[in-house]
Amino acid sequence: MSAQGLPAHILALFTPRPPPQHLPPCVLKPGVSISGCAEYVEFFSSDPPPVREPWESPLERKARRHREKVQAHKSAQKKFIDSYDPHKDPNASGDPFKTLFVGRISYDTTEKKLKREFEVFGSIKKVRMVYDQKGKPRGYAFIEFDHERDLKNSYKQGDGKKIDGRRVMVDVERGRTVEGWLPRRLGGGRGPGRQGKPAKKKQRRLAETTEKLKEKEKEEKDKKKDKDKDREKDKEEDDKKEKKAKEKEREKEKDKEREKDKEREKDKDRDKDKKKEKEKERKRERSRSRDRRK
């Protein structure tokens, strides 16, 4: 088939490509000889290395400062702990076994209102609200009852009572009744104390750890359930096997008893046959003796 008569743009497709470009041959360069560093060890310095400068990261600095603050606070607190003696406190008067501690009180609550609320449980001798140096209430108070039974009733029934929109917390006075008791300001008290909200990262980590723990607990529970199911199945199989074995033993015993009964019946039949033979022999002997007499 000839390409004559075709248009130019199609003839261009059949034209040969240009010859490849001529390149000079590659010249190999001499390689560099590489040797070890053993020859240069003599030139190294024999002096001891320089002392490493101490460096701490921002997190380590923060932790160190926090540690120093805690230690300073504990050392300053030790003096107050050594000098703390609630029995010598002039404000702490009255019978400690009849005194009730009321905490988490609203700052708007007065002594009269508190007395009116707790007079339901019995007659009150004295109410003492605690104030700071500026005269502002601290949020807790001490109520002294006339009788110890009233204190017990208020301790059992007064916890969680709502006064001025806040639920109060009730407890016995522990400063003069419990040995070694320390208030919250000296590192004692009940509960963990005031705790700030953790950061978002800590919250996420806590949530992840709790989820992992829950998953582990679920897996352990599932494993225990599977083990219990397997044990129950094994027990059922063992019980079935034991039942089958017992049934087989019973059948064997029944077969033995049947064989014994059959043998007894055979023995009885043999005895009967023997008796019949003996009777026949006797009859024969009698007939013979008769024949002889004749």
Side-chain angles (χ1 to χ4, degrees), residues 225-276:
K225 285 180 180 178
D226 293 336
K227 285 181 180 178
D228 293 335
K229 286 180 180 178
D230 293 335
R231 285 174 186 169
E232 288 177 357
K233 285 181 181 178
D234 294 335
K235 282 182 180 179
E236 287 177 357
E237 288 177 358
D238 294 335
D239 293 336
K240 286 179 181 179
K241 287 179 181 178
E242 287 179 358
K243 285 180 180 178
K244 285 180 180 178
K246 286 179 180 179
E247 286 176 358
K248 284 181 181 178
E249 288 178 357
R250 286 173 185 171
E251 287 177 356
K252 285 180 181 178
E253 288 177 356
K254 286 179 180 178
D255 294 335
K256 286 179 182 178
E257 288 177 356
R258 286 170 187 170
E259 288 176 357
K260 286 179 180 179
D261 294 334
K262 286 178 181 179
E263 288 178 357
R264 286 171 186 168
E265 288 177 357
K266 285 179 181 178
D267 293 334
K268 286 179 180 179
D269 294 335
R270 285 173 188 171
D271 294 335
K272 286 179 181 178
D273 294 336
K274 285 180 181 179
K275 286 180 180 179
K276 285 179 180 179

Side-chain angles (χ1 to χ4, degrees), residues 89-124:
D89 188 4
N91 294 322
S93 60
D95 191 354
F97 295 98
K98 296 178 184 177
T99 307
L100 185 76
F101 169 80
V102 185
R104 300 175 187 170
I105 304 171
S106 174
Y107 297 126
D108 300 328
T109 307
T110 59
E111 289 183 359
K112 288 181 180 178
K113 180 106 182 247
L114 198 66
K115 186 177 182 181
R116 201 184 315 122
E117 292 288 340
F118 279 89
E119 268 181 345
V120 181
F121 307 110
S123 57
I124 293 171

Side-chain angles (χ1 to χ4, degrees), residues 130-241:
V130 181
Y131 299 92
D132 60 1
Q133 293 176 354
K134 294 179 181 179
K136 293 180 180 180
R138 295 288 304 276
Y140 64 95
F142 295 92
I143 299 170
E144 187 181 354
F145 288 90
D146 286 334
H147 303 287
E148 195 171 343
R149 64 174 181 274
D150 300 334
L151 169 71
K152 289 178 180 178
N153 290 332
S154 62
Y155 177 72
K156 288 177 183 177
Q157 301 173 17
D159 193 22
K161 194 171 185 178
K162 207 166 187 179
I163 302 171
D164 288 337
R166 289 197 69 177
R167 295 196 180 276
V168 297
M169 188 270 294
V170 163
D171 194 12
V172 295
E173 187 188 346
R174 297 180 181 271
R176 292 183 290 170
T177 55
V178 181
E179 290 185 7
W181 173 262
L182 292 172
R184 178 63 59 80
R185 61 188 173 84
L186 298 178
R190 295 182 69 186
R194 292 179 181 176
Q195 293 180 346
K197 290 183 179 180
K200 289 182 179 179
K201 288 183 179 178
K202 287 184 179 180
Q203 286 179 355
R204 288 173 190 169
R205 287 175 188 171
L206 288 168
E208 288 174 359
T209 50
T210 49
E211 284 178 0
K212 286 179 181 178
L213 289 169
K214 285 179 180 178
E215 287 177 359
K216 284 182 181 178
E217 287 178 356
K218 283 182 180 178
E219 287 177 358
E220 289 177 356
K221 285 180 180 178
D222 293 336
K223 285 180 181 178
K224 284 182 179 179
K225 285 180 180 178
D226 293 336
K227 285 181 180 178
D228 293 335
K229 286 180 180 178
D230 293 335
R231 285 174 186 169
E232 288 177 357
K233 285 181 181 178
D234 294 335
K235 282 182 180 179
E236 287 177 357
E237 288 177 358
D238 294 335
D239 293 336
K240 286 179 181 179
K241 287 179 181 178

